[in-house]
Amino acid sequence: MRKIPAIISFLLALVIMLSIFPMLADANFSNGYPDKDIEVTPSGLAKGKQTIKVKVTGTATPRPKTVWTQGDYDIWQATRNEGDRVETQTFSSGDNALPMEKAVKDKINTTNYVPASLQDEAGNRFQKVFVKSVGIDDISYVDVATYTPVGAKPDFEKGKLFAIIETKTGYPNKVTEKRQYGIRQDGDKKFQADYETPLKIDYSGYVNETKEIRVREDMQLQVDDVKSLVAEIRTKAYNQEEFGNWVNVSKRAEQIEWSSNQKEVVYVEKLTGQIVAKTSERQSSRQNGKIPKMDRITFMKM
């Protein structure tokens, strides 16, 4: 009888750690990945693919305004976003005419106030058009002379984009801009008066990035054969619909980890990806015209 060397046919199961992300940060994470407000799925060791979800934030200081329009008499009107009007009387007369102070409660959509880009805790910036689930974290009034807030804060629901503000404008608050737009029936000028009602709005949302890893080739080895494997990674960035090109990361030993799910068959050096076929030989012979079986094991490549 002669010995038939065992043949190992395998697909390597590659295990990667979270450190794969800082290693392959692209231009979108030029400052590296943040230490907090980051979720990795699946967490810890993962086969084949991991997705990160990173919280991003931004602050806006918009300057909405209440516009009072003078009529032919001593009545001024301000129109709310929902269409109904608020009226107030006139302070002074002629060229000095101004609306008297009156509260206006309004529901505003803050979508257009979201900053053009938001950033994570590491200072990486992301275009708002690709940020998911953007909503208000907090909103507050600003202490200026042009309006008087009603209540401590605007009314809002965290994570949403609508808010209800209630402010008093008109005299004695300072008018931001006043302009003539016509002549009254009595010959006096008619005016419009703008009162800015600036706000401070904190927004948050998140961006996703996915990385996928693969072993580039399958192979057959005889017992005690040594082979260095090639690992490649590709990224689907937060602003991409498809994955980018594969990148060879086999030599980045400090930030990836290799593992075999059957170490008694194939040993994998965890830092280098070098493998050694370990299955023992089996003594076999042709009997009754049958070909001896060869040891064989299959690994799943992710």
Side-chain angles (χ1 to χ4, degrees):
M1 296 189 298
R2 65 185 183 89
K3 295 181 179 179
I4 307 295
I7 302 296
I8 303 168
S9 160
F10 68 92
L11 300 174
L12 187 71
L14 183 63
V15 179
I16 54 177
M17 300 181 68
L18 174 60
S19 58
I20 192 174
F21 292 115
M23 172 185 63
L24 290 177
D26 54 26
N28 296 318
F29 288 92
S30 58
N31 295 331
Y33 290 93
D35 294 326
K36 66 177 184 176
D37 293 331
I38 179 172
E39 297 178 14
V40 182
T41 306
S43 61
L45 297 175
K47 297 178 182 178
K49 184 182 294 184
Q50 280 182 318
T51 298
I52 60 170
K53 178 180 178 181
V54 179
K55 181 180 179 180
V56 294
T57 60
T59 299
T61 54
R63 304 184 72 86
K65 61 185 178 181
T66 298
V67 179
W68 290 100
T69 300
Q70 186 181 24
D72 283 327
Y73 302 99
D74 291 333
I75 301 297
W76 297 67
Q77 292 184 341
T79 302
R80 301 184 347 143
N81 286 333
E82 295 180 341
D84 54 326
R85 297 179 178 182
V86 178
E87 294 184 347
T88 189
Q89 297 292 320
T90 297
F91 169 80
S92 192
S93 61
D95 290 353
N96 296 321
L98 288 169
M100 289 290 293
E101 183 181 73
K102 187 71 175 285
V104 176
K105 190 174 185 178
D106 212 355
K107 183 177 183 179
I108 61 172
N109 184 345
T110 72
T111 301
N112 292 333
Y113 302 149
V114 178
S117 64
L118 295 89
Q119 68 178 31
D120 63 18
E121 282 290 326
N124 301 298
R125 302 199 70 86
F126 305 87
Q127 301 171 61
K128 72 173 182 180
V129 67
F130 299 109
V131 177
K132 303 178 184 299
S133 300
V134 177
I136 298 172
D137 263 0
D138 195 15
I139 182 170
S140 57
Y141 295 116
V142 177
D143 185 14
V144 293
T146 57
Y147 76 108
T148 302
V150 177
K153 294 176 70 70
D155 186 17
F156 72 98
E157 184 178 347
K158 192 170 182 177
K160 304 297 183 181
L161 287 167
F162 284 92
I164 296 175
I165 63 173
E166 187 171 6
T167 61
K168 292 180 181 180
T169 53
Y171 182 85
N173 298 286
K174 183 179 179 180
V175 65
T176 303
E177 182 182 355
K178 179 182 172 183
R179 58 192 169 275
Q180 181 186 353
Y181 77 96
I183 301 294
R184 289 171 35 153
Q185 290 182 346
D186 59 9
D188 284 345
K189 298 173 183 177
K190 289 195 294 189
F191 296 97
Q192 283 187 325
D194 298 349
Y195 292 83
E196 289 186 344
T197 57
L199 305 167
K200 179 178 180 290
I201 308 176
D202 296 325
Y203 294 93
S204 69
Y206 68 90
V207 294
N208 281 337
E209 183 176 84
T210 302
K211 293 191 184 296
E212 190 171 43
I213 192 165
R214 72 178 182 183
V215 179
R216 194 173 64 191
E217 58 183 334
D218 306 330
M219 65 194 71
Q220 286 189 335
L221 297 178
Q222 291 186 354
V223 173
D224 295 328
D225 277 355
V226 177
K227 178 78 173 181
S228 291
L229 295 174
V230 176
E232 295 178 322
I233 292 176
R234 61 180 182 175
T235 301
K236 182 165 66 176
Y238 85 105
N239 57 354
Q240 293 178 322
E241 294 293 331
E242 304 293 337
F243 280 96
N245 295 328
W246 289 101
V247 177
N248 188 332
V249 296
S250 305
K251 303 303 181 183
R252 302 184 187 184
E254 74 282 3
Q255 291 180 320
I256 64 172
E257 180 177 308
W258 299 79
S259 176
S260 168
N261 64 341
Q262 295 202 35
K263 296 179 181 179
E264 73 279 5
V265 179
V266 176
Y267 169 76
V268 183
E269 211 294 316
K270 69 177 182 178
L271 297 182
T272 66
Q274 187 180 75
I275 62 173
V276 181
K278 302 295 287 184
T279 302
S280 59
E281 294 178 347
R282 175 188 297 170
Q283 289 189 354
S284 303
S285 62
R286 282 183 186 272
Q287 295 180 0
N288 302 323
K290 295 182 179 180
I291 300 175
K293 294 178 65 177
M294 294 180 291
D295 293 335
R296 188 175 295 272
I297 187 162
T298 300
F299 292 84
M300 180 173 63
K301 179 176 67 178
M302 302 297 293

